Amino acid sequence: MQQRSIASAAISVIHGAGLEGTRLRDVARAAHVTTGAVTHYFDGKEAVLEAALEEVVRRTLQRLGRGRHKPPKDVETFVAQACAHLPVDEASQMEWRVWLAFWGKAIADDRLRAIHRRYYEAFVEHVAHVLRALKPNTSSREALLTADAVIATLDGVGVRAILEPEHWPSKRQRQTATALLVPLLREFEGAKKV
Amino acid sequence: MQQRSIASAAISVIHGAGLEGTRLRDVARAAHVTTGAVTHYFDGKEAVLEAALEEVVRRTLQRLGRGRHKPPKDVETFVAQACAHLPVDEASQMEWRVWLAFWGKAIADDRLRAIHRRYYEAFVEHVAHVLRALKPNTSSREALLTADAVIATLDGVGVRAILEPEHWPSKRQRQTATALLVPLLREFEGAKKV
DNA sequence: TTTTTAAAATAATCACCGTTATGCCAAAAA
DNA sequence: TTTTTGGCATAACGGTGATTATTTTAAAAA
């Protein structure tokens, strides 16, 4: 159970110092242990970072799971739910920053790429599932394509919001995401009521 | 003029090894010089990396500049032009990978963040300009909002394509981007001709 | 041609940080 | 109580790579 708390500590260090600025000592200190404990539980720094990424994925997917019981019946609530995944508050901002920090590292690291792949797979599946609630008789292909589009929207807006937080308050994030998602989903629904 | 070639060398090293795996020696070797030359022209590693990022920005904006003379008159050609900015070929893939590699680092680095901000500023301005060609009487506000949405689309699809290149051939990239952009731009145009 | 200055190579240094080794302490087993 | 085991702290080690210093080479000026 210590592993979890060390991984969480790593997340907050990465959040504050970036991946490159993350030293094992600081992770240990943030977890209220010493480097001895860290190396006791992990095979090395890489393993610690990997665990941190996995922890972020876990949290995000868990949050998705909680939303599974209220499938949206109309476009507006769908968009509102989708926007909740943007970096609009402290907690999600932290996860976004860490998630984004690993993108660059994942480019040259098969192991991390695999984690990303798994995450997106689950995310796509979730969005496609929710889309089917919006339009019951949808081809799998159409649902998946639209899910990709929804996720691209969130990633695109999220990245921008993380890189320019002072210019991207939650309102602007929602506005931009809405501008993309509403027309997309109207098209998806088929019925365009002005 | 050596600075340029060292920066370019840095780009290709980052492309191959990722930011963390980039050693100054390798950059020097790729530029056919030694570390002595590198440190002669730059104040240190940070400066070299910063120059690499600037070089990527330069190339991208230059490419944008070339497209400035053929403003699209309809949605289809606009989308086609936009999709040309996705990582659909070797060259643009390299630039995307490097660009993306710096996102994580920029989180904790004001200097790099400033570069990103400048780039997006120019990019937004360009897209908004092109949008005005599509719909002459557009409010500045509407054009900027739509430009943000277009850029978010490209970033969102681009990220995915970089992280999962084997699953995101150019065709899928275009498909996803089109699914988002066409409805968005029809809405933007105002006139929806089915 | 000599002198001078700049460009870049080569070689040495130095700091940083991950890793490894050792030792201690507490809790469970004997 | 003694013994033992495992969880962790402390501290020393060592590699890696950036930085700095020195030297060589080449080009330009005198």
Side-chain angles (χ1 to χ4, degrees):
Chain A
M1 218 69 271
Q2 280 284 50
Q3 313 225 13
R4 243 348 192 349
S5 98
I6 291 173
S8 295
I11 289 174
S12 77
V13 173
I14 295 168
H15 170 65
L19 256 185
E20 325 214 352
T22 295
R23 294 175 304 171
L24 230 41
R25 292 160 162 64
D26 297 333
V27 172
R29 210 145 40 86
H32 304 294
V33 293
T34 61
T35 64
V38 175
T39 61
H40 179 74
Y41 285 108
F42 293 93
D43 281 346
K45 190 185 188 182
E46 290 302 287
V48 174
L49 297 180
E50 196 180 316
L53 183 59
E54 292 264 25
E55 175 68 21
V56 168
V57 170
R58 263 198 73 269
R59 289 183 191 176
T60 307
L61 292 183
Q62 183 175 313
R63 205 183 293 182
L64 279 192
R66 272 200 291 277
R68 210 160 240 278
H69 302 296
K70 24 173 177 159
K73 285 297 176 209
D74 59 282
V75 169
E76 279 72 27
T77 55
F78 180 98
V79 170
Q81 280 186 24
C83 286
H85 296 124
L86 291 169
V88 289
D89 58 34
E90 282 291 321
S92 59
Q93 236 168 70
M94 174 153 110
E95 288 166 20
W96 267 90
R97 283 168 67 121
V98 173
W99 178 245
L100 199 153
F102 275 100
W103 283 352
K105 199 173 162 74
I107 291 178
D109 186 326
D110 292 337
R111 201 174 255 281
L112 294 181
R113 279 241 305 282
I115 297 177
H116 279 88
R117 236 168 44 72
R118 282 213 326 268
Y119 165 77
Y120 277 113
E121 213 171 331
F123 198 18
V124 167
E125 198 228 350
H126 175 264
V127 174
H129 176 263
V130 172
L131 281 171
R132 258 186 281 275
L134 199 63
K135 184 187 176 188
N137 52 334
T138 314
S139 73
S140 166
R141 181 187 149 70
E142 192 188 8
L144 290 177
L145 176 61
T146 308
D148 277 342
V150 170
I151 290 170
T153 299
L154 294 176
D155 277 342
V157 173
V159 164
R160 198 81 188 283
I162 292 298
L163 289 177
E164 307 178 46
E166 59 278 10
H167 297 110
W168 283 80
S170 58
K171 187 183 171 187
R172 188 178 179 191
Q173 293 180 43
R174 268 189 277 269
Q175 222 170 23
T176 309
T178 303
L180 277 165
L181 292 178
V182 167
L184 173 79
L185 294 170
R186 292 251 187 275
E187 180 93 16
F188 173 74
E189 267 190 325
K192 321 183 198 212
K193 24 189 163 167
V194 182
Chain B
M1 216 70 264
Q2 279 286 47
Q3 313 225 12
R4 238 359 187 346
S5 99
I6 291 173
S8 295
I11 289 175
S12 77
V13 173
I14 294 168
H15 170 66
L19 256 184
E20 325 213 352
T22 294
R23 295 175 304 171
L24 229 41
R25 301 167 196 298
D26 297 332
V27 173
R29 212 145 39 84
H32 304 294
V33 293
T34 62
T35 63
V38 174
T39 60
H40 179 73
Y41 286 107
F42 293 93
D43 281 347
K45 190 184 188 182
E46 291 301 289
V48 174
L49 297 180
E50 196 180 317
L53 183 58
E54 293 265 24
E55 175 66 20
V56 168
V57 170
R58 261 197 75 270
R59 289 183 192 177
T60 308
L61 293 183
Q62 184 175 313
R63 205 182 296 182
L64 279 193
R66 272 199 292 276
R68 209 161 241 276
H69 302 294
K70 26 174 177 160
K73 286 296 176 209
D74 59 281
V75 170
E76 280 71 27
T77 55
F78 180 97
V79 171
Q81 279 187 24
C83 285
H85 297 124
L86 290 169
V88 289
D89 57 34
E90 283 290 322
S92 60
Q93 236 168 69
M94 175 153 109
E95 287 166 21
W96 266 91
R97 282 169 66 124
V98 173
W99 177 246
L100 200 153
F102 275 100
W103 283 352
K105 198 173 164 74
I107 291 178
D109 186 325
D110 292 338
R111 200 175 256 282
L112 294 181
R113 279 242 304 282
I115 297 177
H116 278 89
R117 234 167 45 70
R118 283 212 326 270
Y119 166 76
Y120 276 114
E121 213 171 331
F123 198 17
V124 166
E125 199 228 348
H126 175 263
V127 174
H129 176 265
V130 172
L131 281 171
R132 257 187 283 276
L134 200 63
K135 184 187 177 188
N137 51 334
T138 313
S139 74
S140 166
R141 180 186 150 70
E142 193 189 6
L144 289 178
L145 176 61
T146 307
D148 278 341
V150 170
I151 291 170
T153 299
L154 295 176
D155 276 341
V157 174
V159 165
R160 198 80 187 285
I162 291 298
L163 289 177
E164 306 178 47
E166 60 278 9
H167 297 112
W168 283 80
S170 59
K171 186 183 171 186
R172 187 178 179 190
Q173 295 180 42
R174 269 189 277 268
Q175 218 168 27
T176 309
T178 303
L180 278 165
L181 292 178
V182 167
L184 172 79
L185 294 171
R186 292 251 186 274
E187 180 94 15
F188 173 74
E189 269 189 324
K192 319 185 200 210
K193 26 189 162 168
V194 181

